[in-house]
């Protein structure tokens, strides 16, 4: 028999919903859930849903997949996943639906306020917490149980060109917009190709792909560079976006991945030679005509694109590293870094 699972989540209305709209959701839920042996409660208050749904794991996962793709709500945040539960909490209710706004009970008010506060705090925290940690919580696992482990990974470092000059010249809103659009493009594209961004580092990011995702990682960088070019070309010369360029460094190898930090403050991060190297070679992109540089660690897999050697880099320990890039139009640049800085300065 399938084991029982329970999921609690909060979400916000994507657009205003009337009482009739909510009653329609309740009606279809009750019909489907009683057939699929799912039970639970659904509260709404102002523009918030709070649902607890439980039942046989396979039925539940299938239905949740549909519910989470329902465009009547957004900002869905899973608060808790309980697997292998022994007993249902709501065995009587195929989906008890309560519109709290209608309640006259004055005791309900603090509860609804609390719901509102929890939703807002989660939505806020979600923006600061790393992808890996969020996905772990949403799977119902405790990230603190994860001990650091050695793994083979592809590390991708990306960094905005001349970001210090931008911050000296632009006003706060302009800097904010510039960084935001950069991270929208990079994070979305990396996720789309199956990678993760573990950390934002001011004007750059640290991302990773599993070791057999090399061509995905390369495609992500090509697409990001293409999107940045389209953005630059869509804005006039007196707009900061016209000067938004970025460099990328990639390396592969053994890294230590996991929660590292003190008892009270943890960071989910990667440590190891490929991380340092990817960061170092990323910086070299400013002095070359290529937006992407990688080292020979990536060459043990078939690369779908033509690639070429562009030079070498000598590490602090005097180890010589051969540097490569792809022979791809989107990754070629005829940018002069000093000219870029001068142009950004003229934005003032
Ligand atoms: C907040 C929210 C909660 C929902 N809960 C359920 C539910 O418990 N069961 C269900 O079948 N549908 C639920 N729905 C509706 C589904 O998203 C979807 O419209 C419905 O399952 C489709 O039913 P069908 O497969 O019979 O067409 C919910 C929708 C929203 C917005």
């Amino acid at each position: 028999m399938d084991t029982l699972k329970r999921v609690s989540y909060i979400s916000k209305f994507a657009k205003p919903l009337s009482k009739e709209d909510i009653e329609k959701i309740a009606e279809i839920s009750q019909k489907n859930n009683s057939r699929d042996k799912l039970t639970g409660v659904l509260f709404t208050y102002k523009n918030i849903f709070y649902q607890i749904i439980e039942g046989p794991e396979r039925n539940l996962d299938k239905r949740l997949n549909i519910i989470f793709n329902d465009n009547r709500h957004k900002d869905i945040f899973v608060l808790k996943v309980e697997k292998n539960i022994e007993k249902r909490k709501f065995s009587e209710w195929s989906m008890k639906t309560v519109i709290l706004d209608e309640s006259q009970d004055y005791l309900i008010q603090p509860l609804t306020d609390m719901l509102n506060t929890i939703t807002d705090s989660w939505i806020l925290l979600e923006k600061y917490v790393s992808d890996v940690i969020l996905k772990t919580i949403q799977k119902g696992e405790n990230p603190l149980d994860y001990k650091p482990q050695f793994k083979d990974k592809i590390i991708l470092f990306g960094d905005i060109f001349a970001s210090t000059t931008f911050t000296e010249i632009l006003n706060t809103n302009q800097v904010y917009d510039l960084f935001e659009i950069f991270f929208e493009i990079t994070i979305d594209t990396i996720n789309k190709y199956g990678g993760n961004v573990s950390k934002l580092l001011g004007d750059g990011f640290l991302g990773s792909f599993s070791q057999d995702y090399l061509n995905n990682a390369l495609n992500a960088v090509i697409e990001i560079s293409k999107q940045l070019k389209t953005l630059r070309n869509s804005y006039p010369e007196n707009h900061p976006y016209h000067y938004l360029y970025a460099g990328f460094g990639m390396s592969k190898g053994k890294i230590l991945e996991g929660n590292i930090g003190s008892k009270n403050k943890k960071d989910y991060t990667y440590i190891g030679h490929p991380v340092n190297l990817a960061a170092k070679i990323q910086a070299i992109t400013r002095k070359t005509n290529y937006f992407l540089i990688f080292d020979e660690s990536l060459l043990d897999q078939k690369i779908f694109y033509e690639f070429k050697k562009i030079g070498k880099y000598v590490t602090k320990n005097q180890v010589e590293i051969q540097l490569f890039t792809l022979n791809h139009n989107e990754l070629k640049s005829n940018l002069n870094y000093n000219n870029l800085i001068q142009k950004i300065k003229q934005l003032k």
Side-chain angles (χ1 to χ4, degrees), residues 9 25 29 32-33 49 51 53 63 67 70 72 95:
Y9 73 86
I25 294 175
S29 301
N32 289 339
N33 293 357
F49 284 116
Q51 187 171 35
I53 179 164
R63 185 54 57 185
I67 298 175
D70 191 319
R72 283 171 288 190
M95 189 49 61

Side-chain angles (χ1 to χ4, degrees), residues 9 11 17 25 28-33 35-36 38 42 49 51 53 63 66-70 72-73 94-95:
Y9 73 86
S11 63
L17 293 175
I25 294 175
I28 185 96
S29 301
Q30 282 151 9
K31 184 177 121 249
N32 289 339
N33 293 357
R35 181 194 61 210
D36 300 338
L38 300 175
L42 174 66
F49 284 116
Q51 187 171 35
I53 179 164
R63 185 54 57 185
I66 296 173
I67 298 175
F68 287 171
N69 282 305
D70 191 319
R72 283 171 288 190
H73 59 167
S94 55
M95 189 49 61

